[in-house]
Amino acid sequence: MKPTPRDFLQLTKPTIMLLVLLTGASALMVEGSMMSDPLGFLLVLLGLFATGGCANALNQYFERDIDAQMERTAKKRPLPSGRISPGAALVFTICLGIFGVVLFAVAFNWASAALALATVLFYGFFYTLYLKPRTHFNIVIGGAAGAMAPPIAWAAATGSVAAVAPWVMFAIIFFWTPPHFWALAYCLRDQYKKVDYPMLPVVKGGPETLRQIVMYTVLLIAITLLMPLSQVGVIYIALAVVLGAVFLMLALKVRSTGEIRDSWGLFGYSIVYLLVLFTGIMVDAALTYQPWKG
């Protein structure tokens, strides 16, 4: 079976990459200097896609045997389904990562290149090979990799991450990741147990997982309100409050009922939540952008 471009795209986990690009673009728009440089703006997003896609592809390469045992991934992902050979996947992954890091180094600066490389190594190797199979804190710690797009983008634009805004964005994604992922893991706990992955629902059980989902949701809502008021406007603040209230309501509902369908609903909403929240950041930034100062 000859692999198609779509098969290689699937290695990058395109749904996740959409969120990565959105959060990176939000940081660029808040920072502002690249609003008048559309080519530079797009190159940052290309670098984020390449390095983030590399990290996701490494994850799939190393987990191909595990993925083959899970119903959720066995037919969906190109490696366990046999649509791409491990060798071809590894070559694609390495080339993608090298391209992304070199792009940041040549087109922007070494700070962004170093952060991008560290993210690839952290997620592709440390999280996948060490954290995930050993501790139920895996997604809490590993979530740092998925939250790095705003700091990397900010570093590409400025050469530094000595600002509050990109780290608040980082924190939003970091604290969003556990309730997002645990809602999924709660639904798939039997599959994770089958492959002996110590996910929170497997190790601590359903009630504790649902309790921690609520706890992290409260922390997430609090973090969203820490964005500097100089960097956001009324649209973001309103969205943070309303979206957060719905998130908490759904988290409390699934904790109360314990129903799988409610957990699936929370998982689906969590994706919409992050998309809309960061879209609000972008809209506020666009409305306040002044070209002569950007």
Side-chain angles (χ1 to χ4, degrees), residues 72-157:
R72 170 175 169 257
T73 52
K75 295 181 179 180
K76 180 180 178 181
R77 293 185 174 174
L79 279 167
S81 65
R83 301 195 303 272
I84 296 180
S85 70
L90 185 59
V91 170
F92 168 78
T93 301
I94 293 172
C95 291
L96 192 63
I98 291 173
F99 170 76
V101 172
V102 170
L103 175 61
F104 277 121
V106 173
F108 300 102
N109 49 64
W110 286 105
S112 57
L115 287 173
L117 177 59
T119 301
V120 170
L121 297 177
F122 180 85
Y123 185 80
F125 291 92
F126 182 64
Y127 167 74
T128 301
L129 297 179
Y130 182 79
L131 285 176
K132 195 171 182 181
R134 285 176 172 81
T135 173
H136 65 277
F137 291 111
N138 47 25
I139 198 62
V140 177
I141 303 170
M148 280 301 296
I152 294 171
W154 198 280

Side-chain angles (χ1 to χ4, degrees), residues 33-273:
S33 64
M34 284 196 174
M35 293 280 280
S36 58
D37 179 13
L39 177 59
F41 194 105
L42 291 175
L43 286 177
V44 172
L45 297 187
L46 180 60
L48 288 174
F49 177 82
T51 52
C54 170
N56 288 330
L58 275 175
N59 173 265
Q60 289 193 56
Y61 174 79
F62 288 128
E63 291 186 347
R64 61 191 185 278
D65 293 336
I66 296 293
D67 284 344
Q69 301 175 55
M70 295 185 65
E71 295 176 19
R72 170 175 169 257
T73 52
K75 295 181 179 180
K76 180 180 178 181
R77 293 185 174 174
L79 279 167
S81 65
R83 301 195 303 272
I84 296 180
S85 70
L90 185 59
V91 170
F92 168 78
T93 301
I94 293 172
C95 291
L96 192 63
I98 291 173
F99 170 76
V101 172
V102 170
L103 175 61
F104 277 121
V106 173
F108 300 102
N109 49 64
W110 286 105
S112 57
L115 287 173
L117 177 59
T119 301
V120 170
L121 297 177
F122 180 85
Y123 185 80
F125 291 92
F126 182 64
Y127 167 74
T128 301
L129 297 179
Y130 182 79
L131 285 176
K132 195 171 182 181
R134 285 176 172 81
T135 173
H136 65 277
F137 291 111
N138 47 25
I139 198 62
V140 177
I141 303 170
M148 280 301 296
I152 294 171
W154 198 280
T158 67
S160 169
V161 286
V164 174
W167 293 111
V168 174
M169 293 185 211
F170 169 92
I172 290 171
I173 306 163
F174 181 82
F175 282 97
W176 166 86
T177 302
H180 162 73
F181 182 81
W182 286 335
L184 174 66
Y186 181 79
C187 298
L188 303 178
R189 57 190 183 274
D190 290 339
Q191 293 187 44
Y192 283 119
K193 185 176 182 179
K194 175 183 175 183
V195 298
D196 200 29
Y197 265 164
M199 298 304 177
L200 184 64
V202 175
V203 176
K204 296 295 183 178
E208 176 61 16
T209 299
L210 300 180
R211 186 189 74 83
Q212 292 210 30
I213 284 176
V214 172
M215 181 183 74
Y216 272 88
T217 300
V218 172
L219 289 172
L220 168 64
I221 294 168
I223 293 294
T224 61
L225 300 177
L226 293 180
M227 272 295 286
L229 293 179
S230 60
Q231 307 286 353
V232 293
V234 175
I235 293 174
Y236 168 81
I237 295 170
L239 286 174
V241 172
V242 174
L243 291 170
V246 175
F247 204 139
L248 182 58
M249 179 187 69
L250 293 177
L252 289 170
K253 180 181 179 182
V254 70
R255 185 186 181 188
S256 174
T257 67
E259 293 289 339
I260 295 296
R261 68 173 182 272
D262 292 332
S263 193
W264 277 120
L266 176 62
F267 172 72
Y269 174 78
S270 69
I271 298 173
V272 174
Y273 170 89

Side-chain angles (χ1 to χ4, degrees), residues 4-14 49 60 84 92:
T4 66
R6 185 176 183 276
D7 293 328
F8 285 103
L9 178 64
Q10 287 299 316
L11 283 176
T12 68
K13 300 183 182 178
F49 177 82
Q60 289 193 56
I84 296 180
F92 168 78

